[in-house]
Amino acid sequence: QVQVVESGGGLVQPGGSLRLSCAASGSIFSINVMGWYRQAPGKQRELVARATSDDSTNYADSVKGRFTISRDNAKNTVYLQMNSMKPEDTAVYYCNVDLQMAPYNPTFRYWGQGTQVTVSS
């Protein structure tokens, strides 16, 4: 009963910016972690950034100083602001949400459908 919807992908020139959005809805008791992963052609999926419920954040070394993750807990939404983008940022970006549907229930991981980000001139 949980849905994760992403938006904001597209084509951008090197040095440009994009902002991705991801909203979770449905049977949600609490959200622990919201994050972004990406998968480039021929490569494994990798963590880009994550944010906990207390706004602690972590970033992949390759995006530190360029990307910023943030959360709007009232809207169950997470954002990824991507600045100074490079061709190597080209990938399908996936939102993930780790949440509980009820108190004392286990935490499950849900995924968005993915959004294509292409950095090219």
Side-chain angles (χ1 to χ4, degrees), residues 2-7 20-25 33-39 45 76 78 92-99 108-116:
V2 175
Q3 187 174 23
V4 179
V5 180
E6 304 164 335
S7 63
L20 305 182
S21 300
C22 171
S25 61
V33 178
M34 304 186 81
W36 292 93
Y37 290 74
R38 68 186 181 187
Q39 187 166 22
R45 183 181 62 187
N76 291 331
V78 64
V92 177
Y93 284 69
Y94 297 91
C95 175
N96 87 279
V97 182
D98 294 346
L99 61 85
F108 292 94
R109 174 165 289 184
Y110 294 86
W111 294 92
Q113 78 285 355
T115 183
Q116 177 70 48

Side-chain angles (χ1 to χ4, degrees), residues 24 28-34 53 71 76 97-100:
I28 300 172
F29 170 72
S30 66
I31 296 178
N32 183 18
V33 178
M34 304 186 81
S53 58
R71 291 174 56 158
N76 291 331
V97 182
D98 294 346
L99 61 85
Q100 292 176 284

Side-chain angles (χ1 to χ4, degrees), residues 11-27:
L11 175 65
V12 64
Q13 294 184 346
S17 298
L18 286 174
R19 190 175 85 150
L20 305 182
S21 300
C22 171
S25 61
S27 301

Side-chain angles (χ1 to χ4, degrees), residues 34-36 48-51 55-59 67-71 78-81:
M34 304 186 81
W36 292 93
V48 178
R50 69 173 73 187
D55 293 326
S56 177
T57 58
N58 298 97
Y59 297 91
F67 291 10
T68 302
I69 189 170
S70 60
R71 291 174 56 158
V78 64
Y79 306 93
L80 185 67
Q81 179 67 47

